[in-house]
Amino acid sequence: IQDIGDSMKEWGEKFGDLMKLGEMLKQADKEVKNLQKAIKRLQTAAKKNPAAQETINTLNAMASEMTQILQNAKELAKSEPDSALEKLENEFFGKMEEFWNSVAEADTIVNITKGLGQAKKEIAKAKTKIRSLEKNKKINAEDVESIKEIVSNLEQKLAELTSLAQNKASAEEIQAVSGELWDMFKEYENKLSEMGQGSYKPNVQSGENVNFELPQAFDFGPGNSQGANGDGGQGFNSGF
C-alpha cells in the first residue's frame, strides 16, 4: 500500500506539471499571434517613418526565434515534458519582456515624429496669439511678458526633445521629456485662461486650471505597445 501511495504521489506531481505545460503551450500560441499582430501594426506605421524600420527588423528576428522555440517545446512535450516546460518558461516567456520593450521603443520612434510636428504647430500658433495680445491695449503688459516666457521655455523644451529623438534616446527619456513639454503647454493654456483669452475657464482652487490631456501622439503607455490603442488624449481646440 505504501509503494502504491508513493507511486500515486509521484504521478500526481507529474500530472500537475503536465497540466501546467498544456496551459503554457496554449498561452504561448496566443502570444505568438500577439507578437505578429504588433509587428504588422508597426510595419504599417513605419511606412511613414522609416526610422523605426531597424527596430522592426529586430522584432521580426525575435518573433521568429520565439516561434521556433515554441515549436521545439511542442516536440519536446511528446517525450520530455519537464524539458519542454523549462524551455517555455526560460526561453519563450523569458524573452517576452524584451520583445514588448522593443515594441515600445518602435512606438516611440513612430509617434515622436508626429508629436514633434504637433508641438511645432502649437508653438507657432502661440506666437501668433502673443502678437495679437501685444496689440491689445486692454491686456496687462506683465501678463504678456509672462506668457512670452512660457512660450520661450516651450521652444527650449521642444529643442531638447528633438535632440533626444535625433540621437535615439531611450523610450523612457523621450516619454519623460514629452510629459514635461505638454505640462508646459498646459501652463500656457492656464495662463491664457487667467487672462480671459483661453479655451477653458480657470479654476485656481483646484490647482489644475485646465483639463488638459496628453495628445495621442505622445501616448507611449504599455497598453499602446501591445496594440491596445485607445482614443488618445485631446488637447487644445486646434484638433489634437
Side-chain angles (χ1 to χ4, degrees):
I1 293 175
Q2 184 176 350
D3 289 343
I4 293 174
D6 290 341
S7 179
M8 289 181 67
K9 180 179 178 181
E10 179 184 353
W11 278 102
E13 292 174 353
K14 290 184 177 180
F15 184 74
D17 286 342
L18 289 173
M19 289 290 290
K20 181 179 179 180
L21 176 59
E23 289 298 319
M24 289 184 70
L25 286 171
K26 184 178 179 180
Q27 182 62 34
D29 279 328
K30 291 180 180 179
E31 291 298 337
V32 165
K33 292 179 181 178
N34 288 334
L35 307 185
Q36 294 169 344
K37 184 178 179 180
I39 291 173
K40 184 178 180 180
R41 174 178 61 79
L42 287 169
Q43 285 176 329
T44 300
K47 291 178 181 178
K48 296 181 180 180
N49 194 332
Q53 191 58 55
E54 182 179 347
T55 303
I56 294 172
N57 291 341
T58 300
L59 286 169
N60 265 317
M62 290 177 64
S64 296
E65 181 183 357
M66 291 171 74
T67 301
Q68 186 58 55
I69 289 171
L70 175 57
Q71 293 303 318
N72 293 342
K74 287 181 177 180
E75 288 299 316
L76 271 176
K78 299 175 182 178
S79 56
E80 301 177 47
D82 291 343
S83 297
L85 189 60
E86 183 178 352
K87 181 175 284 290
L88 280 175
E89 290 178 336
N90 298 333
E91 298 181 33
F92 184 86
F93 288 101
K95 293 179 180 293
M96 198 64 68
E97 182 178 358
E98 180 184 357
F99 179 88
W100 288 115
N101 284 342
S102 295
V103 170
E105 179 182 339
D107 272 326
T108 300
I109 295 171
V110 168
N111 288 339
I112 192 64
T113 300
K114 181 180 178 182
L116 291 173
Q118 288 178 325
K120 289 176 183 177
K121 289 179 181 178
E122 290 305 321
I123 289 176
K125 290 178 182 179
K127 289 183 174 180
T128 300
K129 182 67 175 180
I130 288 174
R131 288 193 292 271
S132 174
L133 293 173
E134 287 176 325
K135 296 176 182 179
N136 190 336
K137 296 181 179 180
K138 296 180 180 180
I139 300 296
N140 188 304
E142 291 183 359
D143 285 338
V144 174
E145 288 303 313
S146 177
I147 207 164
K148 284 173 70 174
E149 183 179 354
I150 293 173
V151 173
S152 176
N153 291 337
L154 271 169
E155 288 186 294
Q156 293 177 27
K157 186 59 66 174
L158 178 60
E160 179 185 349
L161 184 57
T162 301
S163 177
L164 287 174
Q166 290 174 344
N167 290 292
K168 296 183 179 180
S170 69
E172 289 79 8
E173 288 180 283
I174 290 176
Q175 290 168 19
V177 177
S178 297
E180 293 171 5
L181 176 68
W182 293 107
D183 280 343
M184 288 182 177
F185 271 119
K186 181 167 64 175
E187 181 185 2
Y188 164 78
E189 188 67 27
N190 284 344
K191 187 61 181 179
L192 282 181
S193 295
E194 291 172 6
M195 296 165 63
Q197 300 291 320
S199 306
Y200 304 93
K201 295 180 180 179
N203 183 11
V204 179
Q205 291 181 346
S206 71
E208 287 290 341
N209 303 342
V210 177
N211 183 20
F212 181 92
E213 295 182 12
L214 198 68
Q216 186 176 5
F218 282 99
D219 183 6
F220 303 133
N224 227 16
S225 297
Q226 298 192 36
N229 295 315
D231 295 333
Q234 294 182 358
F236 313 115
N237 286 345
S238 62
F240 269 32

